[in-house]
Amino acid sequence: MKILVTGGVGFIGSHTVVELQEKGHDVVIIDNLSNSSEGVLKGIVAITGIVPEFVKLDLRDKADVSAFFETHEIDGVIHFAASKAVGESVDNPLLYYENNISTLIYVLQELEKHQISNFIFSSSCTVYGQADELPITENALVKKAASPYGNTKQVGEEIIKDVCHISKQLNAIALRYFNPIGAHPSAEIGELPLGIPQNLVPYIMQTGIGVREELSVFGGDYPTKDGTCVRDYIHVVDLAKAHVVAMERLLDSENSENFETFNIGTGKGSTVLEVIESFERVTNTVLNYKIVPRRAGDVTAAYADTTKVKSELGWSAQSSLDEAIKSA
Ligand code: NAD
Ligand code: UD1
């Protein structure tokens, strides 16, 4: 079975390529390297011993996307390629709507044209905003997105749902990730953000090794047990494995509904201070940090109800926070 992984050189995509290859799937990667570097491919080969086919291509180029599908027989697509910086999306919404929505449409058009049935979309817990109830189930109300980035995930899901509704052949799964962190245990691949990290764990790591002087903890006055925000941090290898299980469900189409959504998290919430404590515990060092005012747009708490993904996909996260932090 040949699986196309768009954005397969990126953080989550590269870990998923490894897990697909290790389960015997043939992988072809499309990436324009706008937020990743080709060296990651060497890391994949070092882990699996298999060289995945790599096509450097910008999915915003409709003609190139079309030409790719004319020349490749694809059984399923995992669509990671997107821009993901929340703050940048506020400053440049059109960039985000073009890169996250037009690319999705071009890929879906090719699926229709070539009668390809199996599609997985990278969605996010950001679609829930501040949920009314915790843990968050897949049925929780999807609230108005807090950023253009978040909106691209909501609209992306709606587009796929509409296409599935009229399509006789397309089966799709949207995986709503909570907070992916960590790296492959081989340390051949991991999270390598370009520039100053926006996310907590890469910022902690760079502070720990002295690249950054001090971590700013955004807000110490939230209504949580220690005043800092709560998130559901999931090891990227666990997350990658969820994609393999979801793709295998689609390939075995008797099991799959037309369009499904699943939360991909651990089910456990951790505060920012607990993540710092985990870092200090596993590295036996002290982290330099200070509490500063809240960051605009942050929700107080988000963690997944994982009942549906456990019962329908038979998947659950295996790694603890300490294991994920250690790997990072
Ligand atoms: P990433 O930036 O590391 O990977 C995305 C990859 O897509 C990069 O290699 C980039 O070069 C490529 N890409 C972007 N635009 C492209 C285009 N037009 N054509 C071809 N390639 C393109 O990001 P990631 O953390 O691996 O995230 C993967 C997906 O998961 C994204 O859709 C993201 O929105 C979603 N997601 C990520 C998180 C997270 O915390 N990392 C959380 C929820 C959802
Ligand atoms: C953010 C996005 C989410 C996106 C995800 C991956 C928002 C509101 N959400 O999730 O849509 O899918 O990134 O790109 O932006 N923190 C600090 N100091 C830092 C960095 C973060 O204290 O330097 C805190 C944050 O306030 C938050 C927690 O750490 O409480 C996690 O932050 P982050 O890693 O940025 O992820 P989210 O904001 O949850």
Side-chain angles (χ1 to χ4, degrees):
M1 291 290 173
K2 190 147 199 132
I3 310 298
L4 166 63
V5 180
T6 76
V9 187
F11 172 43
I12 307 169
S14 59
H15 289 82
T16 302
V17 169
V18 165
E19 296 305 319
L20 285 166
Q21 288 184 330
E22 289 191 333
K23 288 294 293 289
H25 296 285
D26 195 8
V27 174
V28 51
I29 296 172
I30 286 181
D31 203 300
N32 67 353
L33 305 180
S34 57
N35 197 36
S36 51
S37 80
E38 211 166 340
V40 171
L41 295 169
K42 290 200 185 109
I44 293 173
V45 177
I47 298 167
T48 64
I50 303 164
V51 183
E53 184 184 349
F54 171 55
V55 180
K56 188 173 174 208
L57 184 158
D58 192 326
L59 292 165
R60 286 172 295 190
D61 190 323
K62 189 172 160 54
D64 280 357
V65 177
S66 227
F68 171 88
F69 279 92
E70 289 299 335
T71 51
H72 289 77
E73 286 255 327
I74 301 294
D75 298 294
V77 178
I78 307 182
H79 183 52
F80 291 105
S83 301
K84 63 164 183 176
V86 174
E88 185 185 45
S89 80
V90 175
D91 295 337
N92 198 344
L94 284 177
L95 180 81
Y96 274 67
Y97 289 119
E98 184 189 29
N99 205 38
N100 296 8
I101 300 296
S102 73
T103 59
L104 171 66
I105 292 170
Y106 298 159
V107 171
L108 289 173
Q109 284 171 334
E110 296 303 319
L111 298 192
E112 188 173 49
K113 192 161 144 199
H114 296 276
Q115 299 282 301
I116 299 165
S117 306
N118 308 303
F119 184 70
I120 295 178
F121 177 63
S122 292
S123 189
S124 168
C125 67
T126 195
V127 300
Y128 300 117
Q130 179 57 71
D132 297 326
E133 277 177 44
L134 294 166
I136 304 172
T137 71
E138 287 82 353
N139 293 328
L141 198 66
V142 169
K143 295 187 177 163
K144 184 176 166 14
S147 68
Y149 166 75
N151 204 25
T152 67
K153 295 300 173 190
Q154 292 185 352
V155 172
E157 285 195 13
E158 289 300 320
I159 290 171
I160 298 162
K161 204 196 300 177
D162 288 345
V163 175
C164 283
H165 183 66
I166 50 103
S167 169
K168 289 191 178 58
Q169 119 272 343
L170 186 65
N171 291 320
I173 290 179
L175 297 179
R176 294 172 173 168
Y177 317 151
F178 281 68
N179 288 56
I181 60 166
H184 193 270
S186 66
E188 294 285 352
I189 54 173
E191 188 171 17
L192 300 165
L194 304 176
I196 300 173
Q198 305 297 310
N199 296 113
L200 178 64
V201 171
Y203 208 105
I204 289 179
M205 296 303 148
Q206 293 195 9
T207 308
I209 60 170
V211 176
R212 311 277 156 212
E213 203 177 315
E214 186 177 53
L215 170 78
S216 294
V217 173
F218 299 135
D221 58 350
Y222 284 97
T224 61
K225 62 180 166 187
D226 61 22
T228 64
C229 292
V230 172
R231 296 287 183 276
D232 185 338
Y233 296 92
I234 173 163
H235 196 307
V236 67
V237 173
D238 280 331
L239 172 59
K241 287 182 173 156
H243 290 80
V244 180
V245 175
M247 182 50 76
E248 286 173 350
R249 175 185 178 88
L250 290 173
L251 293 169
D252 177 15
S253 59
E254 277 168 30
N255 272 333
S256 56
E257 304 271 327
N258 213 220
F259 176 71
E260 298 173 293
T261 54
F262 293 103
N263 285 341
I264 306 293
T266 65
K268 185 175 177 294
S270 304
T271 66
V272 176
L273 294 182
E274 284 172 336
V275 177
I276 294 172
E277 280 159 24
S278 168
F279 173 84
E280 293 184 329
R281 191 163 48 242
V282 303
T283 60
N284 204 18
T285 56
V286 174
L287 190 80
N288 199 17
Y289 73 88
K290 67 166 185 264
I291 297 185
V292 301
R294 294 178 178 198
R295 176 173 73 175
D298 273 340
V299 299
T300 302
Y303 53 95
D305 183 309
T306 56
T307 312
K308 182 179 174 194
V309 70
K310 271 184 197 147
S311 69
E312 298 279 318
L313 289 189
W315 172 92
S316 59
Q318 300 300 311
S319 295
S320 66
L321 177 63
D322 279 7
E323 285 164 336
I325 291 287
K326 195 166 185 181
S327 75

